[in-house]
Amino acid sequence: MFTSTHLNSNTNTNSNSDTTFLSVGGGGKCKFWLMAAAASPSTPAVLFTALAGVAVVAVIFYGASRGRLISPWSHKKRKHALSPQQWKSLFTEDGRLCDGGIKFLKRVRSGGVDPSVRAEVWPFLLGVYDLDSTKDERDVTKTHNRKQYEKLRRQCRKLLKQSIERNKFNEVGEISYEGDGGSLSPDSASSISDDAASARESLSSEDRSPDVEHLDNPTSALLEGDDVPNVNNADVYTLDTDFSDSDSSEGPELIQTVPSDDVQEHNNPNKASKEVSSTSKGKIPSKLPTTEDFSTWQRIIRLDAVRANAEWMSYYPSQAAVSDSRARRTAEAVGLKDYGHLEAGRIFHAARLVAILEAYALYDSEIGYCQGMSDLLSPIVSVISEDHEAFWCFVGFMKKARQNFRLDEVGICRQLDIVAKIIKFKDAHLFKHLEKLQAEDCFFVYRMVVVMFRRELTFEQTLCLWEVMWADQVAIRAGIGKSAWSRIRQRAPPTDDLLLYAIAASVLQKRKLIIEKYSSMDEIIKECNSMSGQLDVWKLLDDAHNLVVTLHDKI
């Protein structure tokens, strides 16, 4: 863009030629000469003509450089993360976000959220609270959500108790167990491998447990152990140690749970007085969970929770400060086993993962539990100390992410197709090479899609990426269009598929390596899986932003 430093105006008047020269551009570049009679009566005309020429050049330069405007997510222009002071300043006296949350979303979109206020901010980003809700309305929603979560946990405890009793019965007797009051379906006698298959070959993992070894998938290197954040939650032990038979009265209504498509309606403060059974009327999952289904989910959840890594602990050390006795009591309350090798903080965190994932399996029984879901929940649990709040944030997250865990994989295929289109439109040469390797379906980024870069980025980088992605999704849900953003942001409208643009950007960053050195899709999968810790999240977002600018309308 032109500034005063780009303009050097040299007026040389030659007494012999009476000619005026005007040089525009620094360093001798882009000079042009205007010649006019220097007679004093025509001097205004000369100056006017000269200025007009300057304007023309300025327009040309501006147009040429417009595509190189620095992205709002670039390292140089990126603002600081939303600070505690800024966060507090965004609210009115009645606790409502100013201007419908536009300024709030801009800040998050530009720089993420300061770790100290994430627990307060995330419920807004994940749809637990409406952007225009007051503090009183949020208090009502919070109370309602706590009750709903506790009901789900009571039902989980009841099913766990039934599972334990059934296992004891099978150990003593030699006959197969075929019912417990009608909770089992006729197919429940199918082999354990069939049940685990329903828990999903969705996520192929090198480190998956031996119990799920039959979940074969070409991407056997997808998904290694993830971080498992931990939290101090006094309610966990209280809620999970109550095995009173009085809970059974609420069991039947909760088996007909609310599909995650209803998350927004379920969390609407205006409907907060309604119970789960009433909000779920008319939209019961097509497949209700059987006792056998739930037992399978429980087993895999426990295996995934125990093997999760502890990367979160260095970011949230206060959450790891749990006594050994408390951690073990909590683990026993949720039926966690084989945790003797873990330190107290990790045991407690694993128990929280179990409790919340079991509750979600009942809440959205169509999906239940699949490997990889613990990857998405773990950061949420590390940030939010109350289980019921973490649960509803996870529900909000899964509203978009649940498509990654459908058995038919329609959602995954749709996303891989979008990644392929982005690469094809942006870099035809690279795409042709992928076609030659029969990798044009972009299956090599399967893991990135399913667990949303959780394995390719560090813990903190993951949270930054997710926060920016959530801000885009909230803006779309709230109907905030281009007019709400600054001039630069108008060129990169909020998109539901920012993650996919970022995934495509990560592949494009490796284009030279892929074209020159790789001759099979397996080699590309290996390269993608080796990206862990090597990516710059803000450079990734910057490149993704540029792809949105260029291709959003086409895609």
Side-chain angles (χ1 to χ4, degrees):
M1 213 182 215
F2 265 69
T3 64
S4 58
T5 59
H6 294 109
L7 298 177
N8 294 319
S9 189
N10 300 317
T11 305
N12 301 320
T13 304
N14 187 305
S15 58
N16 295 323
S17 60
D18 290 336
T19 303
T20 299
F21 298 91
L22 181 67
S23 173
V24 179
K29 294 181 181 179
C30 192
K31 293 185 179 181
F32 65 85
W33 304 91
L34 295 177
M35 305 178 65
S40 56
S42 61
T43 297
V46 172
L47 292 176
F48 179 80
T49 303
L51 291 174
V54 171
V56 170
V57 174
V59 169
I60 293 173
F61 266 68
Y62 176 73
S65 64
R66 208 167 168 250
R68 298 192 299 272
L69 283 177
I70 297 176
S71 157
W73 295 319
S74 70
H75 181 70
K76 291 182 180 179
K77 289 294 184 181
R78 184 170 68 87
K79 297 178 181 178
H80 295 294
L82 176 69
S83 68
Q85 295 77 15
Q86 292 170 335
W87 172 240
K88 290 179 182 178
S89 71
L90 292 175
F91 289 90
T92 60
E93 290 184 2
D94 63 350
R96 197 188 304 268
L97 282 169
C98 303
D99 66 13
I102 292 175
K103 185 182 291 187
F104 158 60
L105 294 178
K106 279 185 181 181
R107 289 190 180 279
V108 175
R109 197 172 186 244
S110 297
V113 180
D114 186 271
S116 64
V117 290
R118 278 178 171 149
E120 299 175 41
V121 173
W122 282 14
F124 287 88
L125 293 177
L126 290 167
V128 178
Y129 301 138
D130 291 334
L131 292 180
D132 63 346
S133 63
T134 64
K135 184 180 183 304
D136 290 343
E137 289 172 337
R138 292 194 294 275
D139 287 342
V140 172
T141 297
K142 186 174 182 178
T143 300
H144 168 67
N145 286 348
R146 181 189 287 109
K147 291 179 180 178
Q148 302 293 55
Y149 175 72
E150 289 173 357
K151 286 181 179 179
L152 287 167
R153 282 304 308 152
R154 283 195 290 271
Q155 183 66 4
C156 290
R157 290 195 296 274
K158 179 185 176 183
L159 292 174
L160 176 61
K161 186 177 180 180
Q162 292 173 348
S163 177
I164 292 172
E165 291 173 349
R166 185 182 64 172
N167 290 337
K168 287 181 180 178
F169 180 80
N170 286 337
E171 287 175 4
V172 174
E174 295 182 359
I175 59 173
S176 63
Y177 188 82
E178 293 190 3
D180 62 348
S183 296
L184 291 178
S185 71
D187 328 92
S188 60
S190 60
S191 69
I192 213 69
S193 62
D194 289 334
D195 286 327
S198 73
R200 185 88 172 186
E201 65 194 283
S202 65
L203 297 156
S204 331
S205 172
E206 282 183 330
D207 63 336
R208 62 185 149 187
S209 89
D211 292 312
V212 208
E213 60 185 0
H214 53 274
L215 301 184
D216 295 326
N217 194 298
T219 53
S220 59
L222 297 173
L223 296 185
E224 302 172 356
D226 175 38
D227 69 280
V228 179
N230 195 309
V231 202
N232 295 324
N233 183 358
D235 293 337
V236 174
Y237 176 66
T238 304
L239 290 175
D240 284 320
T241 51
D242 178 12
F243 283 83
S244 168
D245 292 336
S246 63
D247 294 340
S248 62
S249 62
E250 279 152 333
E253 70 169 346
L254 286 172
I255 208 71
Q256 298 185 4
T257 50
V258 185
S260 63
D261 289 342
D262 294 330
V263 171
Q264 292 303 314
E265 178 183 41
H266 185 71
N267 288 318
N268 188 332
N270 296 326
K271 300 182 181 180
S273 61
K274 297 184 179 180
E275 296 298 318
V276 170
S277 56
S278 63
T279 57
S280 62
K281 284 182 180 178
K283 207 163 188 180
I284 295 173
S286 57
K287 178 188 175 186
L288 300 180
T290 65
T291 300
E292 193 70 27
D293 286 335
F294 193 74
S295 294
T296 301
W297 296 335
Q298 283 181 317
R299 177 171 51 79
I300 302 173
I301 286 170
R302 281 159 179 69
L303 292 168
D304 286 352
V306 168
R307 72 170 179 232
N309 69 49
E311 184 186 1
W312 62 273
M313 296 178 78
S314 61
Y315 294 93
Y316 291 90
S318 62
Q319 305 287 21
V322 180
S323 68
D324 188 69
S325 59
R326 184 187 179 196
R328 291 179 181 278
R329 285 197 309 270
T330 306
E332 290 170 7
V334 297
L336 193 62
K337 298 179 181 179
D338 302 322
Y339 55 80
H341 62 291
L342 300 178
E343 54 193 296
R346 293 184 65 185
I347 294 172
F348 187 67
H349 178 69
R352 292 191 65 211
L353 284 178
V354 169
I356 295 171
L357 288 170
E358 283 183 352
Y360 184 82
L362 285 184
Y363 176 82
D364 186 3
S365 57
E366 182 183 359
I367 298 298
Y369 177 75
C370 302
Q371 286 187 306
M373 288 168 63
S374 60
D375 291 74
L376 304 185
L377 175 61
S378 189
I380 294 175
V381 171
S382 73
V383 169
I384 299 176
S385 61
E386 295 288 340
D387 278 10
H388 68 90
E389 290 185 334
F391 171 78
W392 289 110
C393 282
F394 184 61
V395 167
F397 194 2
M398 286 294 293
K399 185 173 176 66
K400 174 75 174 174
R402 74 189 297 272
Q403 63 180 322
N404 295 354
F405 303 99
R406 289 173 55 94
L407 287 174
D408 59 16
E409 298 200 330
V410 170
I412 290 290
C413 292
R414 183 196 73 83
Q415 294 176 85
L416 293 177
D417 184 56
I418 291 176
V419 173
K421 285 181 179 178
I422 294 171
I423 294 173
K424 182 178 182 179
F425 282 127
K426 182 63 178 178
D427 193 330
H429 183 45
L430 172 60
F431 191 77
K432 285 180 180 178
H433 182 69
L434 294 178
E435 286 181 317
K436 188 185 301 182
L437 304 183
Q438 296 184 328
E440 69 274 14
D441 59 3
C442 290
F443 190 76
F444 50 86
V445 298
Y446 183 96
R447 185 177 78 175
M448 295 183 192
V449 172
V450 175
V451 291
M452 301 184 171
F453 265 119
R454 181 61 198 93
R455 300 298 177 86
E456 288 69 36
L457 298 173
T458 66
F459 180 78
E460 180 61 26
Q461 287 179 325
T462 299
L463 303 195
C464 291
L465 174 67
W466 287 0
E467 285 164 351
V468 174
M469 177 180 75
W470 292 338
D472 265 20
Q473 292 170 359
V474 174
I476 290 171
R477 286 200 304 268
I480 299 175
K482 295 182 181 180
S483 60
W485 308 101
S486 66
R487 184 184 65 194
I488 292 180
R489 290 179 179 81
Q490 283 184 28
R491 301 177 62 245
T495 172
D496 251 337
D497 295 320
L498 180 62
L499 173 76
L500 305 182
Y501 284 95
I503 289 173
S506 71
V507 175
L508 290 165
Q509 288 176 1
K510 300 282 185 177
R511 70 175 304 277
K512 185 175 180 181
L513 191 63
I514 293 172
I515 292 173
E516 295 180 358
K517 293 191 175 182
Y518 296 149
S519 57
S520 72
M521 186 170 75
D522 287 342
E523 290 179 315
I524 303 177
I525 289 175
K526 201 172 187 181
E527 175 63 34
C528 289
N529 289 350
S530 68
M531 289 182 184
S532 302
Q534 299 180 18
L535 295 171
D536 179 340
V537 68
W538 295 107
K539 174 66 166 65
L540 194 65
L541 282 169
D542 192 36
D543 289 351
H545 161 75
N546 290 330
L547 289 173
V548 173
V549 172
T550 308
L551 303 174
H552 184 266
D553 292 336
K554 294 180 182 178
I555 301 300

